[in-house]
Every structure is written in structure tokens, then in C-alpha cells.
Amino acid sequence: MSGSVFGKNFTVSTWGESHGEALGAVVDGCPAGLPLREEDIQPYLDRRKPGQSRFTTRRSESDTVRILSGVFEGKTTGTPISLILFNEDQRSKDYSEIASVYRPGHADYTFDRKYGFRDYRGGGRSSGRETAGRVAAGAVAARLLKEFGITVTAYTKAIGPVAIRRTDLSECMKNDLCMPDAEAAKEAAAYLQQLMEEGNSSGGIVECVIRGVPAGLGDPVFDKLSSQLAKAVCSIGAVKGFEIGDGFHSALSTGVENNDAFRMKDGGIVKVTNHSGGILGGISDGSDIILRAAIKPTPSVSAPQATVTADGRDTEIRIRGRHDPVIVPRAVVVVECMAALALADALISNMGARLDRMIDFYRDLH
Amino acid sequence: MSGSVFGKNFTVSTWGESHGEALGAVVDGCPAGLPLREEDIQPYLDRRKPGQSRFTTRRSESDTVRILSGVFEGKTTGTPISLILFNEDQRSKDYSEIASVYRPGHADYTFDRKYGFRDYRGGGRSSGRETAGRVAAGAVAARLLKEFGITVTAYTKAIGPVAIRRTDLSECMKNDLCMPDAEAAKEAAAYLQQLMEEGNSSGGIVECVIRGVPAGLGDPVFDKLSSQLAKAVCSIGAVKGFEIGDGFHSALSTGVENNDAFRMKDGGIVKVTNHSGGILGGISDGSDIILRAAIKPTPSVSAPQATVTADGRDTEIRIRGRHDPVIVPRAVVVVECMAALALADALISNMGARLDRMIDFYRDLH
Amino acid sequence: MSGSVFGKNFTVSTWGESHGEALGAVVDGCPAGLPLREEDIQPYLDRRKPGQSRFTTRRSESDTVRILSGVFEGKTTGTPISLILFNEDQRSKDYSEIASVYRPGHADYTFDRKYGFRDYRGGGRSSGRETAGRVAAGAVAARLLKEFGITVTAYTKAIGPVAIRRTDLSECMKNDLCMPDAEAAKEAAAYLQQLMEEGNSSGGIVECVIRGVPAGLGDPVFDKLSSQLAKAVCSIGAVKGFEIGDGFHSALSTGVENNDAFRMKDGGIVKVTNHSGGILGGISDGSDIILRAAIKPTPSVSAPQATVTADGRDTEIRIRGRHDPVIVPRAVVVVECMAALALADALISNMGARLDRMIDFYRDLH
Amino acid sequence: MSGSVFGKNFTVSTWGESHGEALGAVVDGCPAGLPLREEDIQPYLDRRKPGQSRFTTRRSESDTVRILSGVFEGKTTGTPISLILFNEDQRSKDYSEIASVYRPGHADYTFDRKYGFRDYRGGGRSSGRETAGRVAAGAVAARLLKEFGITVTAYTKAIGPVAIRRTDLSECMKNDLCMPDAEAAKEAAAYLQQLMEEGNSSGGIVECVIRGVPAGLGDPVFDKLSSQLAKAVCSIGAVKGFEIGDGFHSALSTGVENNDAFRMKDGGIVKVTNHSGGILGGISDGSDIILRAAIKPTPSVSAPQATVTADGRDTEIRIRGRHDPVIVPRAVVVVECMAALALADALISNMGARLDRMIDFYRDLH
């Protein structure tokens, strides 16, 4: 149990259900002295907010974050940072069907099997709304990383069969799908429009690039930077696959192709290529960290589906109401935030790696 | 730091370097009363042992495991189980080159950047030999799971471009590549032979099927069963990608296709299909858990490679000696063992999920 | 860092400062199906509330708790339980002195040294107000333990030199000092009255008895039930000493006196005496668990004290305003709650100790 | 379960039973570059070794430690350090009585209740021999602390009613009881001689002083330096009480007495007194850390004792063979080592406390 805490030295606990009074996160282990205001966090939440385009659910939430602790005179104090968002749009609705029938592709059945019952209102804890807490916490991690010149940037790489051909990040904000390729975005929009008319939905791929990471983060065996990122990203609801660097392509490759040659440049060591995706032996190598997440299609489709009732009878369900035909564009910021949380933790955890640096660190503190 | 402990309730700590005196693992949290002998563990180690085919390094190690604690009169006592393997083949060899030159695709450079220096003998802690400790511990986890009717079975799905067309597990033991398809195994062998002649190497894909898992394992948010499996598998040295169920294919799919319908069967609830790979909302759904790992090509290739020296000069390296042209066949048992470790931990961690079951559990213990 | 999470399987994260907007706790790992209402928690908070007697500070806080998540239709869902208390009495006050001068016996100096600055308003995170979050969470743990017939009861054993001579728990609620001995309470009150007139304060001892604990909780080596209780209790601000069973008296004792003989009674094994305080080898032995905490005198005294300014000048400070002349009576419920948290965690963590019981547990879940 | 790992960033896992083949510890998270040889560890083990005086058991063990991993060319590599000690004196002996009868004051009964059976040979995992692993690991922690000018020194403060009147550390090595007071040592020896003749045993108190600790270690709430030390020390088998600074005496004291005044000295802030024992608000204040542990009398006494058999019959037991009439002198080094482990962990964990220092730390690592 107690699987709601992530991280070792920079940790986050999230809490809250889709239709509860509020949702939130507690960030613990954030260094003291970090300038932090609600305005640093809000833009991240706005990016995952519902009701922003024809491709997202109509639920209307301002998702306004409030910092309740851990910040004094505009700076973090080193104590836990409590972040809260109050739910607004919990319109009383008829949940009797969801309560008694298991929606295919959802966690209704597994929650009942694990806990004996569940908060069936809008998916409860398994709702996509749970990610709001991660995003609020991840924004704090990203704010910390910024102080070290580390940036985390994610975007939509593909929606169903429509993949980007170019990566112009300035395009991402210009289209509803967060795609860095205007043309691909148009094609993807048409594809989604078609699926919506059929009461169907689409999956897709999110790509994330982390720049400015110093070499040396991550530990050799179980806590590799790659395995921590894998856990972080695969803990997002709809993620079914994870890649670092060349990922599954490297399975098709050869050593001669796949190895990244080292070369001296401006007095430093650089890799000529980056098939490794910025991590060697589980430790950051100083080049960009590149990862991808495969997102499954929204399980809430209006087309009729065969399923069973909680009391064990075969039946058919038609999911009512308007749902996201694709989760990917809203998942982009969630992937970004989970990656930031893993990085912030690795950045702090690495400080005890070398005696000589520890001695320097403590020299003038006696 | 301290990234050498895996798990929360069923934990393993591994230790040891490629050319140290010994390697080992300490398993903590294994329930008392489990029948356990060295013969339960040895077969797993034998499967990853070097020198077994023309496709693996010639290093000769018997890899004989010894249980030093935690077992009394043939059964686990509930206390830590210490497992040890002594290194035998540490023939004195000239490591001066590896000591001063960074091998592309290896962790030489990142270890030096993180720790300031490294045990350069055969890769030290970052050597594939480190996996012997995981396998010994994973064998204990697998032995525990067996008591619950849970089996974990992995095999080679693809080597480079050669993928299996059929899955006949009885075939796996009959070919050097652990492929459940004799024909594909022949083609893959020819492909590897060709690469070996070029001083090159290949990547591939391992697939793992976990049967008999009760519904309810895993936690909803960060500690999903899928994220724990992702961390476990991505913590294996050469793994660059991870999938659960349909994985990256689900990104191309639609909700109507991808959702698994529920149906009643023999009084129980079953899924008609298994695109989810046995996990919904991070919790096991009772059907087979299916995962895949993408393994990169062996970085040790004899073809010349551009690189740099530790003191910052461009140079060229030719890796001497005989190395595995492919890691995949030996990685199969490692994936199996890491999956078993994650499952054993989830099995124990789930016991506190429901008050009614806790009350039953403690009723007669007062 | 990140030292604000307590427990392994039943965990609590607390957050909040004395003069922030709110304080709270997130309880994770509470089993699903536990009946829980705010009315189960409020009485615990009321017991530590300020302004209840002439011996406590006049700060007026209703300390009304609200459950924001993790409970549905009156029962816990197995997901995180978020508890919040809004601060009400944060009257604007002149903190310039506390901001620039280090109060003896307080954490002002150590916080500045650790974090570089601090929230100086009323002690910030190091204020006794921090314990409100622990108490709210501990009340949930106590509610869980109640389902297993486990009760945790603490009371004042001594205030300064005045110790109880008898233990009549019904008396505790009848006097301001939570002493189970009316006469001793009168003497202690007189002693405190005298100290208050001198602008001085007193220390004391809290004793806690835990009944109904089944044998077998706690682990043999580092996570002994006694060491977990020690950590739990010693993490309370003013605690300077901890005892289990005979504690420091056992140092004066002999084996013949101190050993508890075993005897059969009604078909069960009982101890004739309980010098061990209910724990043998770190594991509960089925008899009452008895522990004590030494509480230091309130550091806020109005008598003048020699100290230094934050910028390094010798000076003198007189703490203004009304402060508790003794913390002990309000610490009683905090000790109770920390003990309950440690017990709840041990109760869940013990479930995986035996294979035979795990097999029973899972038998009908397949 | 899995209670055999201690620490967060500097962790130790111990393993091994009294009469198993070997005992050991795995230290993880030790910074790279620390000079470490077996000769740094052996002296600590020699101090707890049996058979050294008329006051300790005659079991003869050389307790020779071997480092199996984590050290290369005389320095730690940052990877796990595996330490092993082989048991030598496991003379075949008749354990049938211990196997079937519960020894009062021992863990025989609680182990059986928890695990269903136990390794009864010499106490198995609950034997005092388990502390050998802690001492080996603690010696590594002490070696690390030495690099920071931090020393941990423990000694016998009292044996039964005989307490030291002076503290001359040079005396400790001169008497069998590790008392820094020659005269008290003589009296204590006479007291023990008397008890031995009666087949009885004595308890006592160990005191530990930690010098050179920088201000700022420890976290404010649950992971206070004091609570971590409490857990560390109370996890030692026979410890029944713990004190920091004035401990239980502070319960009798008043704020005016107990507060430590601050004063400027040589440009730094010092405390005029040290009632706090070097910790304020859970964080080190730069003065000496002083703690004490109450050790219960050896439960193995040869006098006849009433007890029960494992199958539930009243009986009487006489513990045969020669046992330590007092554990205290051998516990001294164990307390020292547990304190060193807690300090080493706090030293590393504190490095992420301040943004400005993190930025300095990483500035030249990009």
C-alpha cells in the first residue's frame, strides 16, 4: 500500500479524487531559498486543464492552485510545500450505471477487486484528474531545475498513425494538439474529427527532451536514472510503453551503429551522436536526455461495448457525455512534470556521491 | 545514492564487481516457511552463465550459489537470506587501455564523472556480471510466487530484424538463443554469425508472460504494478525500452479496438481480449501480465571506434577479446527475475489493502 | 531532507507552519473499508487545542479538521486521506525581535544554520502547532487499531518533581493536567502556579499504555517495534528521553529480577510480570506495551535570558506574551497519536511474515 | 517485514545468524574515494569480540572481517561495500532444550509467534552475535565521519548501581568494563563477581559523545537527528531506554535552568551550557551530541526460572554454559557504531537543504 509517495530526497505525495472537495500534493525535500509563487505553478496546470479545445472534455475547472505552506516571503523554507486545488464542477450527475457496471479499459473492476468498493464518481482516484496533483508538484521541480539550467520539454510526437515530420517547438502552442508540426497537427485533427463522429478515440506518443543535465546523475544498479524515469512516466494512467534514446529501435540496430563515439570539443568530452538518449550505464552522460511514452486511446468511447455488472451479469454499456477523444495533448505536461520530479530527486541524491566534493561542501560549514 | 536496494516489503540488495572476489545479494522480507535450497536457485544462474554457446563470452564461471543465512532446516526463517557467488575466472589481464580510454556505449565515462574514478577491471559494477546477484535473488522470488501458482516465463522475441512467428516454449531450451520458434532461431543464428565476422553485434527484444496473478496487485498512483515492473526491467543494464500489453502499438490503436470487453465465464469475470496486458489502472486484472524489454546491441564490438582518453585526447579503440555478439539470450532470465522480484513485492504489499481481510487475518492471532 | 514522511506501509506526511494559512496531514496506506468521519478525529485535536486552561497559551484556534479525500460514503477507500486545519488566530504581531534574536531552547538558530533563513512567525515549522497534523493522522491510526481491539492510552506521569502515586484514568479528564491522580494533580498545579509567577516553566513525563496488541508485531533487527516507537516518540519536539518497560530502571536491575517468567493460563502463554514492557527481541509478546517520554520544560520563559542576535552580537531577550508553563498535558495526546501511527504501520507490515498465512490470505482471492 | 535495512542515503543491510556459516553487512551509499582497509574495521570488531575477559562468554571467534566489494585500489568506489565474517566456533551442542522451551527475557517465544518456527541455535538472528554486522558497517561510517573531523566515543557510564564519578577516557582501555573511572571499574567488577556466583547478571548504562558535528544536521519533523539516533540505538537488542542531553533529568528541570544561553565566542555562536545535548528542534546545534542507552541485564542466568514449553506446558529452565554476566562493556562499541551510522546518513541527507549551496556544488560540474 501507501503507493502515493514518489521520490527519495525530493518527494511528492498526491491525494484527491475526481469528485472530492479538492485535490493536492505535498512536496517534501525542496531546498530552501527557491523563489516560488503560485504564478510559477499555474501555467503548468493551465496546460492540462479541461475544456480548452474541441478535443477535450467540457468539464469546466479553473484549477487554481494555492500554496498553503513551505513558502515564506516568496522563497521556499525547506519544509513541506502543500499545494491545493479545489474541485468546482462536480455537478450532481447520475452515476448509477458506472457504479454498477464495469467500464472496459477503466480501473472500475480492479479497484473493486482490490478494495472491495470504490468511489465511482468520475473514476475517483483513478480519474485523469489525479494528474493535477502531479503537475502542481512537477511545476515546483521544474522551477528548481531551472536554477541549474535544466529544462524539460515535452510535445506530441504522434496521434494514432499521424506522426510529426518536423520539430518546431514554437508550433506546439499554436495548435490544440501540442504538435511541433503544423501540417501533422492538421492531419491529426481531421483524424480525430473522424473518430469522434464514430464515437471512437485515439492513442498517441509523447516525446520529452531534457536539456542541461550535468553528467553523473543516477545510480548504477536499481536506481538508474533511466529506471527512475521509467517508473515516473509509466506511473501515468494511460502509459503503456516507455523508451529512452533509440528505445525499441535499438533492438533492430547493431553495436557499430548504436554506439555513440566520444570526441573532444572546446576542452570537454562530447558524444558525436546520441543513440543512448543521454544516459550510459544508468548515469547521465551530459547530452540531452530523450524519452518517449506510448499513450493508449481514451477508454471512454460512446460506441456500445460488451461488459459485465458488478453483481456478475453480462450487459452492454454506452458511455454517455462528452469525453476527450485523445488524452495525448493533455498528457504532454504530465510527462514533463513526472520527468522533472525524477530529475530533481536525482540531482539531490547525487550530492553524496564523492568524498572530495562532500569535504568541499562541508569545509566552511564548521 | 544507495540505489542498490530494490523493493519495499520484499527487498533485495545486490553487491559486487566483475573482477572482485565475489558477488551477492541479500533478500529481506521473504516470508518464513518457504522451502528453499541452493538447487532452487542454481538453475536460474546456469541460464545466465557465460561460456555456454558460440554466442556468449568465453569467460568461464561456475557461478555456484551458496546460501549463507536465512534458511534453517530447509525453510526460510523470515530473516535476511544472504546469497553469494565467488568469482573464479579473474585471469590477470592488461586493463591499461580500458583504464585510460572510454569505451563507447559503456559506463566508463559516466562512472568517472560521477565517482571521480572507477574499478575499470571488466566494467566493475557496471559489468553484466552484476546481474548474477539479481538472478540469485529473483530465483528466490520465483520460488515464493510458485507457492501461489504464479509463474514468470520470458523468452527471446526478436534478435535484430529476426522476430519469432510462433511461440512454442518447449523450443526455447533447444536453441542457443532462447527463441520459442526453431526456424526464427536458425535465421537469427545466421544473422549473428554474419555480424560476428564483421566484429559487430545485435540488439533484440525479450518478452515475458506472468500467469496466475490474482486481481488486485499494485497501487493506483505512483506504485502501479506497471510502473514497478517498468522500473524493475529498465534497471537492467542494456534495456532501452519497455512495454506492457500492446505497448507502443496501442498508440496507433483506437478505444474501440483497444478496450478489452468483460464477460462472465464459469461464474467469474474474464476479459475477452488482453490488450491491457493484465493491468488496468495500475492494478492486476487477473489475466496474464505481458511485458517486453528492448535490449540494445552489445557495446563491445571489435570494429575500430572513435573515442577519447580519460585525460582528454581524441583516439581510436578496438575492443580486444571475445564478447557476446548479443546480450538478449542471457538477458531473458534477468528480465524474468526482475519481474519476479516486482511481483513478490506487490503480492506482500497488497495484503493491507482491505480492512475486512486484515480483520480475518488477525482474528485468530489474538 | 524530505523528513516529513513517517511509516512504511501506513504512512503520514505532515505539512504546515504556525502562522501559515493552514496545517495538515496526508495519511496513505490506510486499509479500505474503515468507517471514518471527522467526528472520529476532532476529539483528539480538541485534547491538544490551546486556550483550554490557565496552563496553556491563550491563542484561540478551533482546530476544526476537514477530510478532503480518501473517504467515500463514510468509509475509507484505500486512497490517501487528506486532513486539513485552517489557522485562525494569526493576529498580526511584532515578530521583529524573534526574527533577529535567537531564543534559547528553540530551533531559531539551528533552522537558520540549516536553511539560511526561516519563517520566524511563531516558530514556523518548529512550532508546537506542527503537532496538530500528527494528531489528526494519529486519530485515523487509532480508529484503525480500534477495529482490532487495540487501545492506546497516555497520561501525565509527572510534572517536575510531582509524580503520580496512583493511576485512575477516569481522573485524567477531571483535571487540567491530564493526571490519573487527583491529589498529585493538585500539587502539580500549585507547583506550576509558583513557576508561572517567576516567569519560569516545568518539564514532565508522559506514560503510554497500549493494550490488545497481538504477539508478533515488529521486526528483529533495525525495525524492532521498540525502535519504531522510539523514533515516533522522540520525533516529538520537546522529547529528550524514551523508555520501554522498565527503561532506565532495568539498568539497575538483575537478570533474575528483570526476566519475566512465562506461564500457561487458559490455554495461552502469559508473562507473570511485564518488565519487558510488552516487547521481546523487538517483537510484541502479547502483553501490554508500556512506554514513557521525558518532556523538557517549555523554553519560552518570560525571565530575561542571555542570547545573541542573528547578526552576531551578545544581547538579552525577554519572551513576551503568555506561553504554556508546561507542555506535558498537551503532549499526552501527541504521544498517544505517534504510538498509534507506529502500531498501525507494524500491524500492516507484519502480514507478510509467514508463508502459511499468506497462502490462506490469497487462497480464495484467485 | 524487510526490517534489516537502516538509513536513507547511507544505508546498511545486515544478515546472518548466531550459528550460520557467516554474518555480514552491505553498506550502500558510501561516497567514493574514502580510503578503506580491513584494518580500519577490525579494531571495532575486536572490541565486541567474545572471550576477552572473565566477564564475557567463552565462545571463541576471531571475527576477522573481509571486504568483498566496493573498494578498489584502497578506496571506496561508491558502490555497495560487502563485509563478511565467517562463524568459527559453532561446536555441535545440544539445543534440544532451547528448541522446545522458551527462555525468559529472550526472543524465543516472540519469534515462534511471528514466524511459526525459528533457528534456535544460540538465538539465531536474535543473538547478540547479530551486532557484529552492525559494528562492521558502523566502522565504515566512523571512518567516513573521521574525514569531517567528527568523532563518536562511547563508554560504560554505570553497571547496576555502580556509576562512574569521573570521565577519563584513557582509563576505558585499561579495564575489562570499559569504564572511564578506574575506581568505579573495581567496584563494578566486585559487584559482577558477586552476581556471577549467584548465577545472576546485571544491567547498566552506556554513554556516547559525538564531537565535531556541524550545525544543521537532521530534519525538523519526523527525521529529527534525535529521533534517528533514538531509532538507531533502540534497535540494539538489550536497550530499554534512550536519552539525549539531560534526558529524563530535564523532566524535573525548569525552563530557566534547562535553556542553554547563546554567546559569541571567537566570532562564532556558542552555547554556554549543553542541556540540549547538541540538538535543538531536531537539528544539530554545533555543540557535542550526548546520548545514553539503558541496557537490560543479560537474560541468560543460570538460576532456575519458571517458563513454558513450546507445546504449552509449565516447566522450569536452568540456562547451561557460561554467559556474559553483563552485556554493557561489549555494547559500548555497538552504540558507537549505530550512532555513527545515523550521523553518516544525516551528513549526506543534509546536502540538499539549501539552494545556494546546491548551486555552488553543481556550478563547476556542468
Side-chain angles (χ1 to χ4, degrees), chain B residues 130-153:
Chain B
E130 164 266 317
T131 59
R134 303 171 181 244
V135 169
V140 177
R143 180 68 192 79
L144 174 63
L145 295 175
K146 194 178 152 201
E147 295 286 326
F148 297 86
I150 302 171
T151 60
V152 184
T153 312

Side-chain angles (χ1 to χ4, degrees), chain D residues 252-265:
Chain D
L252 294 164
S253 182
T254 70
V256 169
E257 276 179 73
N258 187 68
N259 285 349
D260 301 310
F262 288 110
R263 272 291 173 249
M264 296 307 300
K265 190 180 170 193

Side-chain angles (χ1 to χ4, degrees), chain A residues 28-80:
Chain A
D28 196 15
C30 184
L34 178 71
L36 186 71
R37 300 155 311 142
E38 281 146 356
E39 301 74 66
D40 295 311
I41 302 169
Q42 197 60 51
Y44 286 79
L45 287 162
D46 293 344
R47 287 168 60 195
R48 73 159 290 292
K49 214 166 64 177
Q52 303 193 104
S53 88
R54 63 191 157 128
F55 300 123
T56 61
T57 159
R58 267 211 209 77
R59 173 170 179 160
S60 106
E61 291 289 351
S62 71
D63 277 354
T64 307
V65 68
R66 277 167 53 198
I67 299 173
L68 296 180
S69 71
V71 175
F72 181 57
E73 294 176 343
K75 287 185 306 184
T76 57
T77 59
T79 63

Side-chain angles (χ1 to χ4, degrees), chain B residues 135-185:
Chain B
V135 169
V140 177
R143 180 68 192 79
L144 174 63
L145 295 175
K146 194 178 152 201
E147 295 286 326
F148 297 86
I150 302 171
T151 60
V152 184
T153 312
Y155 46 81
T156 300
K157 187 181 183 59
I159 284 180
V162 186
I164 57 173
R165 269 99 56 188
R166 51 199 293 276
T167 308
D168 171 357
L169 294 178
S170 67
E171 276 299 334
C172 291
M173 297 301 146
K174 296 190 196 140
N175 63 74
D176 293 335
L177 301 174
C178 200
M179 283 179 124
D181 176 341
E183 222 175 60

Side-chain angles (χ1 to χ4, degrees), chain B residues 4 17 21 28 66 70 79, chain D residues 2 4 17 21 28 66 70 79:
Chain B
S4 299
E17 285 79 43
E21 199 175 335
D28 196 15
R66 276 167 54 199
T79 64
Chain D
S2 120
S4 299
E17 284 80 44
E21 200 175 334
D28 196 16
R66 276 166 56 198
T79 64

Side-chain angles (χ1 to χ4, degrees), chain C residues 96-116:
Chain C
S96 52
E97 188 172 57
I98 303 184
S100 59
V101 176
Y102 293 137
R103 293 169 298 165
H106 280 280
D108 304 340
Y109 170 64
T110 52
F111 264 62
D112 269 6
R113 286 298 300 271
K114 185 179 188 73
Y115 299 117

Side-chain angles (χ1 to χ4, degrees), chain D residues 208-213 245 271 274 276-279 285-291:
Chain D
C208 182
V209 181
I210 308 166
R211 298 201 162 79
V213 180
K271 284 157 54 199
N274 189 18
S276 76
I279 297 177
D285 63 21
S287 49
D288 292 350
I289 292 174
I290 297 159
L291 60 87

